[in-house]
Structures are given as C-alpha cells and as structure tokens.
C-alpha cells in the first residue's frame, strides 16, 4: 500500500509592513457621548483622533502610541461608567437595609402606651 501523497508545501507568510494600528475612534465617541466619566471619554477621543491623523500621515509608531493611550482611556472610562452606578446601587440598598433595621429596633422608643390610670400623678 502506497501511503505517499503530494503534500502542499507551505511557505512562510510574506513579511510585509505590520498592519496599521486601530484608532478606537468609535469607542471613544461612544464614551464621550454616553458615558463621560471624569472627561476620560473626551481624553480618549482626543488620542483616537491623534492616532487616526498619524495613521493617515504614515507615522505608524506614533499612531501605535496614541492608539494605545486611546484604548487605555476608553477602558478606564467604560469601567468607571459601569462600576460607579453599580456601586451607587449597592450603597443605596445597604442604606435602605440599615435604616429599616434601625427603624425596627427603635420602634419601642417611639411608641408610648397611654394607660387609663393616673398612677404617676399621685
């Protein structure tokens, strides 16, 4: 039995210029308009525009640098905008629970029973 077969020879992929970096412009616009936590969305938008300008002009290293900064600020803005409402909700829930326990424990203090006898007056 002949097990020999023609193999496709795979040559190493052609080495060309590295792919252009992403500028994260859409993410930055979204953060600027909808979730602008401490103006980090605006800062991310500025770096995203700089990254796009450098990419168009052909300066790939500067575009990578600004793209990295835009991604970092976008991540911080998104994390802050997601975590802060969750933290606020948790604080409200714990505050309501604490106040309900406090009201339940102090109900005896605020209730005064009136009796028909005037023992204290005598």
């Amino acid at each position: 039995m002949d097990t020999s077969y023609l193999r496709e020879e795979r040559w190493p992929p052609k080495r060309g210029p590295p792919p252009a970096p992403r500028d994260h412009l859409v993410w930055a616009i979204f953060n600027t308009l909808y979730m602008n936590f401490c103006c980090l969305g605006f800062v991310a938008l500025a770096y995203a525009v700089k990254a796009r300008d450098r990419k168009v002009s052909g300066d790939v290293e500067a575009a990578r640098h600004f793209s990295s900064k835009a991604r970092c600020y976008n991540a911080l803005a998104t994390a802050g905008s997601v975590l802060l409402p969750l933290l606020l909700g948790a604080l409200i829930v714990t505050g309501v629970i604490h106040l309900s326990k406090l009201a339940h424990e102090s109900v005896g203090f605020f209730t005064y029973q009136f009796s028909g006898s005037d023992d204290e007056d005598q």
Side-chain angles (χ1 to χ4, degrees):
M1 177 162 148
D2 187 19
T3 59
S4 64
Y5 56 92
L6 293 175
R7 286 197 243 169
E8 293 181 24
E9 293 186 23
R10 297 184 184 189
W11 296 96
K14 293 182 180 178
R15 299 280 180 180
R22 297 180 60 190
D23 53 14
H24 307 288
L25 186 64
V26 175
W27 190 13
I29 290 172
F30 180 75
N31 278 334
T32 301
L33 294 178
Y34 297 109
M35 301 185 300
N36 198 7
F37 171 68
C38 290
C39 296
L40 290 176
F42 183 72
V43 174
L45 180 65
Y47 278 116
V49 169
K50 283 183 181 184
R52 178 163 284 194
D53 288 344
R54 297 293 192 245
K55 183 169 65 170
V56 168
S57 69
D59 190 3
V60 178
E61 281 304 313
R64 283 189 209 288
H65 176 72
F66 289 130
S67 173
S68 173
K69 291 243 184 207
R71 184 180 60 237
C72 179
Y73 283 116
N74 276 323
L76 286 174
T78 302
S81 297
V82 169
L83 292 178
L84 280 181
L86 291 176
L87 180 64
L88 182 64
L91 286 174
I92 289 172
V93 167
T94 55
V96 167
I97 290 172
H98 179 70
L99 286 176
S100 68
K101 284 182 181 178
L102 185 66
H104 182 67
E105 290 171 357
S106 62
V107 102
F109 178 75
F110 291 110
T111 56
Y112 180 74
Q113 295 179 356
F114 294 102
S115 61
S117 66
D118 292 332
D119 292 337
E120 295 178 11
D121 292 339
Q122 295 175 357

